[in-house]
Amino acid sequence: IIGVGFSLEKAVHASADENKDLHFALVDASFSDKKNEPVTIENGRPLLFNTSEAAFLAGYVAAGMTKTGKVATFGGAQIPAVTVFMDGFADGVNAYNQAKGASVQVLGWDKEAQTGAFTDSFDDQSLGLQQAQQFISEGADIIMPVAGPVGLGAAAAAKSSGNTLIVGVDTDWYEANPQYSSIVLTSVRKEIGAAVEQAIQDSTKGKFTSDPYVGTLANGGVSLAPFHDFEAQVPMEVKQ
């Protein structure tokens, strides 16, 4: 049985405790105790994704592509599965600044203080529209929304502005949201399907363990999507 998302942890955890003969997997969250400390349950496997690695690459390319010197990110809620993207993005921008002697700013997230912009919703696209419009008015020309469908509101604002690009998350937004393909610079992808398939295969073959799966750049669990329409515009040194 596969649960998707941190909000299902308690339900999946309780079900796993009551059904020791079944295997469970939880996407995007660890199993935890009443103090929210991670715990191991024998018949449950967390499927986690170190998206900060791929988001680092996205931040680096965003810093290399901005024309205004300002990029932005915001989240749907201040939870680890969201802020891990924002941390990586900020680190990537910082790495570009250090490598190139640049001073690209990140709006919407202060990694050191762990404070920033959140819509407190993953559903209301109007909130994403408003947040993106605010960033655009402050000079940002590349935005990475980490807020599920709320991010499509940000994409609508970016497209309307005529000079703002979007970095997608979870899937390749160029393919998943063709109505916005013309403004998608790249996307930070989580290869959730492969992790889920592996858990199912291990279960059916008697190889299931409670060891967490952690997707990384090295094992292909996270990746940076192609630049698609911007392939020719991203400088070679940035690609390298």
Side-chain angles (χ1 to χ4, degrees):
I1 296 175
I2 314 291
V4 183
F6 71 98
S7 60
L8 289 181
E9 191 280 330
K10 288 182 180 177
V12 174
H13 195 158
S15 187
D17 284 343
E18 293 169 6
N19 298 276
K20 298 290 189 182
D21 57 328
L22 300 179
H23 291 149
F24 294 78
L26 183 61
V27 175
D28 261 352
S30 297
F31 292 102
S32 56
D33 60 19
K34 292 180 181 178
K35 296 180 180 179
N36 287 323
E37 295 293 330
V39 295
T40 298
I41 57 176
E42 290 185 10
N43 59 330
R45 177 185 295 180
L47 306 180
L48 308 172
F49 301 88
N50 191 0
T51 47
S52 65
E53 293 186 356
F56 178 99
L57 302 182
Y60 195 97
V61 73
M65 286 291 287
T66 178
K67 292 180 172 63
T68 63
K70 292 181 180 180
V71 298
T73 184
F74 70 90
Q78 190 160 357
I79 56 174
V82 168
T83 57
V84 66
F85 280 89
M86 300 165 79
D87 283 347
F89 187 77
D91 283 342
V93 173
N94 185 51
Y96 180 90
N97 285 339
Q98 291 185 349
K100 306 296 183 183
S103 55
V104 177
Q105 287 181 259
V106 178
L107 307 181
W109 187 238
D110 182 330
K111 186 193 173 190
E112 278 193 30
Q114 290 287 295
T115 56
F118 296 92
T119 56
D120 295 323
S121 171
F122 290 94
D123 302 306
D124 189 345
Q125 293 190 21
S126 68
L127 296 175
L129 180 79
Q130 293 166 19
Q131 182 62 72
Q133 287 174 334
Q134 180 181 329
F135 285 146
I136 292 167
S137 71
E138 293 174 11
D141 63 350
I142 300 176
I143 303 172
M144 183 181 76
V146 192
V150 168
L152 296 179
K159 190 171 184 178
S160 295
S161 78
N163 56 6
T164 307
L165 303 182
I166 285 287
V167 174
V169 297
D170 293 339
T171 60
D172 186 343
W173 278 28
Y174 184 92
E175 297 174 347
N177 304 291
Q179 70 272 37
Y180 297 121
S181 61
S182 63
I183 59 163
V184 176
L185 173 59
T186 184
S187 299
V188 180
R189 294 188 297 195
K190 288 188 287 193
E191 305 296 344
I192 295 174
V196 170
E197 184 175 356
Q198 187 64 55
I200 294 170
Q201 286 185 350
D202 288 350
S203 179
T204 59
K205 294 177 181 178
K207 297 180 180 179
F208 189 90
T209 69
S210 60
D211 295 337
Y213 167 87
V214 181
T216 65
L217 288 173
N219 65 19
V222 297
S223 63
L224 193 68
F227 301 123
H228 296 293
D229 294 353
F230 296 93
E231 183 65 35
Q233 297 178 40
V234 179
M236 182 55 69
E237 61 179 8
V238 172
K239 292 178 186 175
Q240 291 171 338

